[in-house]
Amino acid sequence: MMTKRKPYVREVKADWWKRLGFYKFYMFRESTAVPAVWFSLVLIYGVFALGSAESWYGFVGFLANPVVMVINIITLIMALVHTKTWFDLAPKAANIVVGTEKLSAKPIVMFFWGVTIVASLIILAVALI
């Protein structure tokens, strides 16, 4: 069935996210994907640099560049922000009931941080060996 009426399309302005703090933080959190792309590209470059000693020394020199160090520090900070917000959201998605009461968010978040710290320490220990 066809209608001659035009459908109502609500106008969405480009600055819709600037109205509320929640939306601003949402956009900030979503912007953490940009440093993740940077990290992925650097990681791929490092994997390909493993092919020869000259390439590897070039990669190490690239990482020693002060501009690259600053970008990597920003990337680390953004990854930690993303991780924190992700861990804070996880208990809202999981409805864990112990006995007759719902488990609070704090033990779940602490478990995730514990796993992250243990995994990071294991990776660091293996890398230093």
Side-chain angles (χ1 to χ4, degrees), residues 68-110:
V68 174
M69 284 185 178
V70 169
I71 294 172
N72 286 339
I73 290 170
I74 292 169
T75 300
L76 176 64
I77 292 167
M78 295 294 270
L80 290 173
V81 167
H82 184 82
T83 303
K84 184 202 178 311
T85 58
W86 183 256
F87 287 171
D88 288 344
L89 286 173
K92 295 175 184 174
N95 193 9
I96 301 173
V97 178
V98 177
T100 59
E101 294 189 24
K102 182 180 176 188
L103 186 64
S104 68
K106 189 172 182 176
I108 299 169
V109 172
M110 296 307 288

Side-chain angles (χ1 to χ4, degrees), residues 33-54:
V34 175
V37 170
W38 163 259
F39 177 75
S40 299
L41 294 174
V42 170
L43 191 63
I44 290 169
Y45 175 36
V47 168
F48 283 114
L50 286 172
S52 68
E54 300 87 28

Side-chain angles (χ1 to χ4, degrees), residues 10-31:
R10 186 172 156 192
E11 179 184 354
V12 178
K13 295 181 182 176
D15 64 344
W16 63 269
W17 56 274
K18 293 181 180 179
R19 292 193 187 111
L20 293 174
F22 173 80
Y23 293 141
K24 289 178 188 176
F25 186 73
Y26 171 79
M27 294 302 284
F28 171 70
R29 182 182 186 282
E30 292 301 312
S31 71

